[in-house]
Amino acid sequence: MVQQSNIIIERILNKIQGFEQLLVGFSGGIDSTVLLHALFQIRQTHLPTLSIRAIHIHHGLNHKADAWEQHCAQLCSQWDIPFICRHVTVDPSQKGVEAAARDARYQAYREELMANEILVTAQHLDDQAETFMLALKRGSGPAGLSSMPESLPFLALSGATWLLRPLLSTPRVELETYMQENQLAWVEDDSNQDDRYDRNFLRLHIMPALTERWPHFPHAVARSAALCAEQETLLDELLKETLEGMMDYRGGLFIDDLQDCSLSKRNALIRRWIGLHQLPMPPFNQLERIWQEVALARQDADPICRLGQFEVRRYQGALWVIKRINSLANKQFQWHYPKPFELPESLGVLHVMAGQGQIRPPLPHETATIRFGLQGTLNIVGRHRSRSSKKLWQELGVAPWMRERVPLVYYNDQLITAVGCFITPEGLADETQLGIAIDWQQGSVFKALL
């Protein structure tokens, strides 16, 4: 093996030290092929206990996608690397094809990552320079111009982990040399030649002219991105204590505290608060919308500002970040009581705890179902008169966005309990019955609690 390959392998080896289980994003292109092959070599010669899995995302956007999947599967078989292919649906209606495909791809990564496994992707130095230029085009501040960090926390369904980009300081030309030295085959996405996409336009027309004039331009851009990231890190340190003092224990950000801040400080705090939820940094105009349309909306309003698959909402004098879900109103799901019930939309799992509560178990002739969206007027245990569902939720302190997420347990067509909130008189166990409790282990969609 010749020198360039050794340099890249050594570079990747240094970056992955301390990690033993890797999930590698593998498109089959030059970048990810170099990454996966280098990791294969590292496992062969340096770290025999290294666990590597490759995940290929089939976006369904190109007529060659099936052939790319087959190519990637063959390489993984050749290198004895477990291969996963995830077919995803890309909805470009909100963000455009590029952003929607990325969202779908990273959601698949979140779902596939196992406990103690980190995500490794193949972005390189030229990608970093393009990302910086795209942020510049959007008018981003230092946070956006920081571009891509080499490593950052990553929240998967299995828990908190890391996203690692070990090739971020490696120019694409070095990756091409690696491919030639090792005689590796790769797939070429013909959509990369479509300059209607912003990144392709930069890659095909702008970056070549800049690097021809200034050969070290990508390195200089990466250095500027690193300096912006350094400034953001300093601000993180300076504002950490202030931000923590402005937050509810459940993660809400108090609006009154923000009103005492200057515009610059307020925006910096909101950005960092949003960053705690591992969301992309919003541009200035979106920060202004969050403040003007959500924080300062009239008191009887229920304002919303959307951030991709999340929403910023207001409740009880604070801002909250909430994951959007599909409507569950008027839907019902049969529950094979007393087995655990996995709720839809990643809302969590219900477990029956016999003898530990006041809810009566279903009678032999009763069928248990789970429904969502409380309607009408009802009585509950502990209240002397009936109330409308809206009034009841308000009295119980349940946020508006949570009201359709709370699972309602029915026996036949009789409401028994809103899990964790109340029991109806018809659902209360009497002296002759052994009552149950229903434990709701909430899922990944929750950014605020009941």
Side-chain angles (χ1 to χ4, degrees):
M1 191 177 296
V2 295
Q3 187 177 9
Q4 187 59 64
S5 296
N6 282 333
I7 291 172
I8 289 179
I9 286 175
E10 191 67 29
R11 187 178 295 154
I12 294 174
L13 177 61
N14 289 335
K15 303 296 184 183
I16 66 167
Q17 291 290 347
F19 298 109
E20 298 180 350
Q21 295 175 245
L22 314 179
L23 179 68
V24 183
F26 184 37
S27 68
I30 289 177
D31 318 334
S32 62
T33 300
V34 169
L35 175 61
L36 193 63
H37 182 266
L39 289 169
F40 163 69
Q41 296 287 351
I42 287 170
R43 189 182 64 183
Q44 293 288 98
T45 58
H46 295 83
L47 300 173
T49 61
L50 185 65
S51 171
I52 308 170
R53 296 195 304 148
I55 179 169
H56 176 80
I57 307 302
H58 189 302
H59 297 93
L61 298 174
N62 193 295
H63 68 281
K64 298 179 181 178
D66 291 340
W68 297 342
E69 176 186 344
Q70 183 179 5
H71 168 86
C72 291
Q74 288 174 345
L75 280 183
C76 287
S77 176
Q78 178 182 333
W79 298 337
D80 193 26
I81 293 174
F83 175 77
I84 308 109
C85 180
R86 291 289 302 269
H87 289 241
V88 300
T89 300
V90 177
D91 178 11
S93 59
Q94 297 293 325
K95 293 182 166 184
V97 173
E98 288 180 289
R102 184 187 185 280
D103 286 350
R105 184 163 61 251
Y106 276 83
Q107 181 59 31
Y109 294 156
R110 289 185 176 89
E111 294 170 357
E112 187 61 40
L113 276 160
M114 299 188 302
N116 301 318
E117 193 173 47
I118 70 163
L119 176 63
V120 186
T121 58
Q123 289 91 352
H124 50 77
L125 183 70
D126 298 66
D127 291 328
Q128 180 76 310
E130 292 163 8
T131 301
F132 183 95
M133 297 293 285
L134 288 170
L136 198 63
K137 184 266 297 183
R138 291 192 298 267
S140 300
L145 296 175
S146 299
S147 302
M148 296 179 288
E150 196 169 73
S151 64
L152 75 159
F154 190 79
L155 185 61
L157 295 188
S158 59
T161 184
W162 288 90
L163 166 58
L164 190 65
R165 301 182 177 105
L167 294 176
L168 205 55
S169 61
T170 303
R172 180 180 174 87
V173 64
E174 293 184 13
L175 303 181
E176 294 171 344
T177 301
Y178 184 106
M179 295 289 287
Q180 295 168 2
E181 292 173 356
N182 293 276
Q183 298 182 336
L184 299 175
W186 70 93
V187 301
E188 191 65 57
D189 186 346
D190 50 11
S191 69
N192 288 336
Q193 301 304 311
D194 187 347
D195 60 11
R196 291 176 299 174
Y197 300 123
D198 289 345
R199 187 175 288 272
N200 288 348
F201 178 79
L202 275 174
R203 183 177 298 156
L204 296 172
H205 303 297
I206 305 303
M207 299 305 292
L210 292 172
T211 52
E212 182 179 3
R213 173 80 180 202
W214 302 294
H216 295 291
F217 185 79
H219 292 85
V221 169
R223 186 165 60 252
S224 293
L227 290 171
C228 289
E230 184 179 296
Q231 293 300 309
E232 284 298 292
T233 300
L234 176 59
L235 276 177
D236 288 343
E237 294 176 4
L238 294 175
L239 293 176
K240 182 176 184 294
E241 187 175 340
T242 301
L243 180 59
E244 290 175 350
M246 291 183 171
M247 288 176 56
D248 179 275
Y249 73 96
R250 298 165 298 177
L253 183 61
F254 293 121
I255 294 170
D256 283 349
D257 291 340
L258 291 170
Q259 286 183 313
D260 295 332
C261 299
S262 67
L263 173 63
S264 298
K265 186 175 182 180
R266 184 176 69 226
N267 285 344
L269 287 165
I270 293 176
R271 284 195 188 97
R272 276 150 187 81
W273 173 69
I274 289 173
L276 293 177
H277 300 279
Q278 298 189 359
L279 300 181
M281 286 298 102
F284 179 82
N285 64 333
Q286 205 158 27
L287 285 176
E288 191 66 13
R289 285 190 57 214
I290 290 171
W291 183 247
Q292 295 293 335
E293 299 178 16
V294 181
L296 300 185
R298 68 180 191 274
Q299 289 303 309
D300 60 343
D302 182 22
I304 300 172
C305 180
R306 292 184 175 178
L307 299 176
Q309 295 302 308
F310 291 81
E311 298 171 342
V312 177
R313 308 280 292 263
R314 187 188 67 192
Y315 180 63
Q316 293 184 337
L319 297 173
W320 304 87
V321 170
I322 308 298
K323 190 174 191 308
R324 296 168 59 193
I325 63 170
N326 295 316
S327 176
L328 294 169
N330 302 317
K331 293 185 178 181
Q332 69 178 58
F333 307 85
Q334 186 172 354
W335 182 10
H336 298 290
Y337 178 94
K339 294 181 179 179
F341 181 85
E342 185 172 350
L343 297 166
E345 296 292 326
S346 301
L347 290 174
V349 181
L350 301 182
H351 295 273
V352 173
M353 303 171 66
Q356 299 187 39
Q358 296 180 300
I359 305 169
R360 70 172 179 88
L363 299 173
H365 68 277
E366 292 177 320
T367 298
T369 57
I370 305 297
R371 310 181 192 185
F372 297 87
L374 192 63
Q375 299 293 330
T377 301
L378 68 157
N379 291 296
I380 67 170
V381 173
R383 299 289 199 278
H384 296 299
R385 56 184 177 83
S386 62
R387 287 161 172 76
S388 69
S389 57
K390 181 178 180 180
K391 181 67 173 176
L392 184 58
W393 286 135
Q394 289 173 344
E395 290 182 4
L396 294 171
V398 178
W401 60 85
M402 289 292 298
R403 296 169 189 175
E404 194 181 299
R405 302 177 184 215
V406 175
L408 308 174
V409 178
Y410 281 74
Y411 296 164
N412 292 341
D413 286 323
Q414 177 62 58
L415 175 62
I416 299 300
T417 180
V419 179
C421 296
F422 63 79
I423 305 171
T424 65
E426 295 81 4
L428 187 64
D430 61 30
E431 295 81 1
T432 67
Q433 296 170 306
L434 184 64
I436 65 170
I438 300 176
D439 178 44
W440 179 10
Q441 295 182 359
Q442 293 182 353
S444 63
V445 303
F446 289 98
K447 295 296 180 184
L449 305 178
L450 285 168

